[in-house]
Amino acid sequence: MIPTREELIGTWISKDFPLYQYEDRIEFTFHFGKYATLYQTESNNRIIAEGIYDIEDMGDENFNIIVNGLHLELEKTILNLKLYIKKEPKCFVMLTPEYGWRYFEKLS
């Protein structure tokens, strides 16, 4: 099962979780509203993707978030996600660019 746009609306934060535990202090925040914004926090915030988004069902609980960039340096980005869970805490796993699979939970 993949999420609907309405189910994604809000802010999702990466967290260490068994099988997705890096202990590298790198946190990702994914915010969905009219636009999607994925950014990485370290010493400064770095926007990885920002723009209008679509959800593409890839089958077997896998889906893509396709973000059409709002800025010239942020062109079309395809993000691979899997294992969306509707129960609390709502969560999914995403392949983050350069940092591997990360577990995300939705903020209440």
Side-chain angles (χ1 to χ4, degrees):
M1 176 173 300
I2 67 167
T4 64
R5 290 178 73 87
E6 291 76 27
E7 290 170 325
L8 285 178
I9 290 173
T11 301
W12 301 75
I13 304 290
S14 66
K15 295 185 174 194
D16 280 341
F17 191 80
L19 300 178
Y20 307 104
Q21 196 160 6
Y22 295 91
E23 298 177 4
D24 57 9
R25 299 182 191 200
I26 297 173
E27 183 177 90
F28 294 88
T29 302
F30 210 164
H31 180 76
F32 292 94
K34 181 178 180 180
Y35 301 106
T37 304
L38 172 64
Y39 56 96
Q40 169 198 352
T41 57
E42 262 181 290
S43 56
N44 58 6
N45 290 341
R46 177 177 76 119
I47 296 174
I48 296 170
E50 182 177 44
I52 296 171
Y53 65 98
D54 288 310
I55 304 166
E56 179 181 41
D57 188 348
M58 301 303 290
D60 296 327
E61 297 184 355
N62 296 297
F63 60 101
N64 287 338
I65 300 291
I66 301 167
V67 182
N68 291 299
L70 292 173
H71 310 289
L72 289 177
E73 66 274 9
L74 298 173
E75 295 180 15
K76 181 177 178 179
T77 304
I78 299 174
L79 301 164
N80 306 110
L81 293 86
K82 63 182 181 179
L83 304 175
Y84 173 69
I85 298 183
K86 287 185 177 193
K87 294 182 188 177
E88 295 297 330
K90 294 179 181 173
C91 59
F92 58 72
V93 177
M94 181 175 71
L95 182 59
T96 56
E98 302 173 31
Y99 293 96
W101 290 98
R102 301 287 173 137
Y103 170 84
F104 284 77
E105 278 186 14
K106 188 173 188 179
L107 291 179
S108 315

